[in-house]
Amino acid sequence: MSPFRSPQIRPPGPPPGLSGRWRQALERRVDRAAYVLPAWLRRRRVGWLLPLTALVAVAVTDWNTSGDFRALSWIVMVPGLAAALCPVRVTVLFGLVSIVAYLGLDAAWSHEYRAGLPDFILVAAASVLAVAACWLRLRREGRILHIRNVADATRATVLRDMPPHVHGVENAHVYLPADAVARLGGDFYDLQPSRWGARALIGDVQGKGLGALAAAAAILGSFREAGYHVPNLSIVAGRLEVRMERQRRLGVAMGDTQPDRFATAVLMGFPNPGCGESWVDVVDFGHEPPLVVSPRGVRVLQVANRLPLGLSDLDPAGVASAVPHRFTLADDDVIVLTTDGVTEARDAAGEFFPLRSFLEDAVVRDPAAVASAHQVAALVSDGLLRHSGGRLHDDTTIFALRFSATEDTYWTLPLDDNAARVLGPLPAGGDPSEQVFEQGIVRLRTGPEYGPSGARDVGAAD
């Protein structure tokens, strides 16, 4: 990850030439042949068709050729194909059938044209080795499946799923890990409701492995607590910086191989729904700037970048100077947040994915295609995979948000230490500018005269 390099600038080095493009194309085809086709056949339980076809083809070819050209020894391919596509029992069956077919076809020829004992030993040995290879393959696939299950459980804990609407913010997210086995990297994102409005966070931890995962979990944990309890977004930003610095020092004490680990991030705050205002506050810690897409076009929410989280000791101003920048939003504006896996994805010619121009072209073609957060996230994901040919070299996160100032659902704070209540839609005939909790402790006011925070103590107010 390189937060200080513009994604439109090609890194140093000669551009990929014709040989490089041919090599990348060949690698994609080899990957498809080696992984995609066998997996497709196994999922449909028709993997036995390929070794059966090979067996029939070898038998027919050997039967219809002269004695000067014997194709019988090619039958050694059949157990190998079965080992790659079939379970152990089916592989054993194909091995036995191959041996019997070899003996029967070879005996049909006169003595001077028979393949003889050496080829028989080859077929028998290939059958035994194919069974062993099949057993090892299934054992390895079981281990990989176990690793993926563990990674999925970890991912569900760190990168939790969210409802499609949270405190007036429609959201959609797409996470594409570069490591298809571990399925987990340093990208992080979350959306946290609070009495002062929803807060959103997206970022990318520098580096890979468990150290990056631990840092991402620490940042998200701090964000979920501070974003829920702290009214000031600047203080939330400071909490994130302090938490990343603590995590970095812990990594140094534990012998982390990357003691200078940092994280880029974008922190955002929205007003309470129903307050009559529609805006977003943005704090950028060296991350890709957010884009706003609507049927009218695409614009960038450009703010003065702060240093990434974990590098505050290099900033003389310190964390206290983190002042959010406010931008006005329309009801059909969709905010697009991504990690550098999107903007640094390359095609076969080595060209980066042009996210902004891609969205601009999509708006020109069909303005209705960017009407919701889910449509925009799916649009960017599909375009990215087409551009890169499905080969991602870095973890990729797409986070789309759309704020609705007329949303009539509320997410409240706990009434006490033992209870947490969530208010549903306002009852028919209720006043949309005021909602009272069941126990009468806190009143949530969303009218413009109360400002964006919208939370007041009833006793102090009345």
Side-chain angles (χ1 to χ4, degrees), residues 76-326:
V76 74
M77 298 186 305
V78 175
L81 291 173
L85 301 173
C86 304
V88 175
R89 292 183 179 179
V90 179
T91 303
V92 172
L93 178 61
F94 272 109
L96 295 175
V97 171
S98 299
I99 294 175
V100 173
Y102 177 88
L103 293 174
L105 290 171
D106 197 39
W109 289 85
S110 58
H111 181 74
E112 63 271 17
Y113 294 115
R114 291 181 182 176
L117 182 62
D119 285 356
F120 172 77
I121 295 176
L122 177 64
V123 174
S127 300
V128 174
L129 292 177
V131 173
C134 180
W135 180 80
L136 291 175
R137 173 182 64 82
L138 294 177
R139 184 179 181 184
R140 180 176 178 272
E141 289 179 353
R143 289 181 177 178
I144 292 177
L145 181 60
H146 177 70
I147 292 173
R148 287 185 174 180
N149 291 337
V150 172
D152 286 342
T154 305
R155 178 180 178 273
T157 303
V158 178
L159 303 177
R160 62 185 180 183
D161 290 331
M162 292 171 285
H165 295 270
V166 175
H167 204 48
V169 180
E170 178 194 0
N171 68 93
H173 52 274
V174 177
Y175 176 73
L176 302 172
D179 187 349
V181 176
R183 302 162 68 95
L184 198 62
D187 289 7
F188 57 89
Y189 57 91
D190 198 27
L191 183 61
Q192 176 64 54
S194 75
R195 69 172 69 170
W196 301 279
R199 277 82 183 267
L201 178 70
I202 188 173
D204 185 6
V205 178
Q206 177 261 343
K208 300 290 183 183
L210 293 178
L213 173 60
I219 294 173
L220 284 176
S222 179
F223 167 73
R224 289 163 183 167
E225 288 302 308
Y228 189 80
H229 294 289
V230 177
N232 194 318
L233 198 66
S234 296
I235 299 178
V236 176
R239 296 281 181 87
L240 298 181
E241 178 59 52
V242 171
R243 187 65 184 91
M244 185 62 193
E245 180 64 23
R246 290 170 53 199
Q247 184 68 24
R248 188 178 67 84
R249 294 184 180 182
L250 175 63
V252 172
M254 297 298 295
D256 192 349
T257 56
Q258 293 180 308
D260 56 346
R261 194 183 303 275
F262 59 89
T264 63
V266 172
L267 175 64
M268 311 183 77
F270 297 90
N272 274 310
C275 69
E277 301 178 356
S278 183
W279 45 259
V280 61
D281 287 340
V282 181
V283 179
D284 194 329
F285 293 94
H287 198 75
E288 305 284 345
L291 298 178
V292 176
V293 58
S294 69
R296 296 174 300 279
V298 181
R299 73 180 193 272
V300 182
L301 300 185
Q302 194 67 52
V303 301
N305 280 9
R306 294 179 54 81
L307 289 177
L309 299 172
L311 301 180
S312 60
D313 52 346
L314 303 179
D315 186 0
V319 180
S321 61
V323 179
H325 297 257
R326 179 164 295 184

Side-chain angles (χ1 to χ4, degrees), residues 22 25 56 60 84 112 121 133 175 214 217 234 260 289-290 333 359 380 394 404 412 418 445:
W22 276 100
V56 174
V60 172
E112 63 271 17
I121 295 176
Y175 176 73
S234 296
D260 56 346
D333 283 343
L359 290 173
V380 175
D394 195 5
S404 175
T412 67
N418 301 319
R445 299 175 184 267

